[in-house]
Amino acid sequence: PERVYLRQIVTDDLPKAETLKAEVKKRDFSELAKKFSVSPEAKAGGLVGWVEKGSVDIFDKAFSLPMGVVSAILESPYGFHIFKVERKAPA
């Protein structure tokens, strides 16, 4: 399957996610993830790594993003996600 190499920031509430979405334009994505993300990958700068299409519903939304572009805020049962696709691999 198609794969993306992904970083994410996850927050508990929408206002915090909106603030971080604005901040990623000015600051390093991985540094913001380390400081503010509530996901287990936060310690690694939000690095999820390679994700296969179809493996996790919320991650499938990242496949439509161009490389290097930060996503809109996406809601899941885990919180509010902001993605950044660093690499793509075709199927």
Side-chain angles (χ1 to χ4, degrees), residues 1 7-8 12 14-16 19 22-23 25 32-34 36 38 43 51-52 58 61 66 69 74 82:
R7 286 189 189 272
Q8 73 171 346
D12 294 336
L14 185 57
K16 189 173 186 180
T19 300
E23 281 294 308
K25 294 176 184 166
L32 289 170
K34 282 179 189 174
F36 300 107
V38 297
K43 293 176 197 154
V51 177
E52 288 186 354
I58 190 72
K61 293 179 170 52
V69 173
L74 303 165
I82 303 167

Side-chain angles (χ1 to χ4, degrees), residues 69-82:
V69 173
V70 175
S71 73
I73 297 166
L74 303 165
E75 188 175 4
S76 84
Y78 305 103
F80 298 90
H81 302 252
I82 303 167

Side-chain angles (χ1 to χ4, degrees), residues 44-87:
L47 183 63
V48 176
W50 288 105
V51 177
E52 288 186 354
K53 192 169 192 174
S55 61
V56 180
D57 285 349
I58 190 72
F59 292 152
D60 279 353
K61 293 179 170 52
F63 284 84
S64 61
L65 292 172
M67 281 195 305
V69 173
V70 175
S71 73
I73 297 166
L74 303 165
E75 188 175 4
S76 84
Y78 305 103
F80 298 90
H81 302 252
I82 303 167
F83 296 141
K84 183 176 182 184
V85 173
E86 295 191 342
R87 287 184 258 169

Side-chain angles (χ1 to χ4, degrees), residues 19-29 32 70:
T19 300
L20 290 169
K21 171 80 169 128
E23 281 294 308
V24 295
K25 294 176 184 166
K26 300 177 254 174
R27 296 174 58 193
D28 182 62
F29 192 97
L32 289 170
V70 175

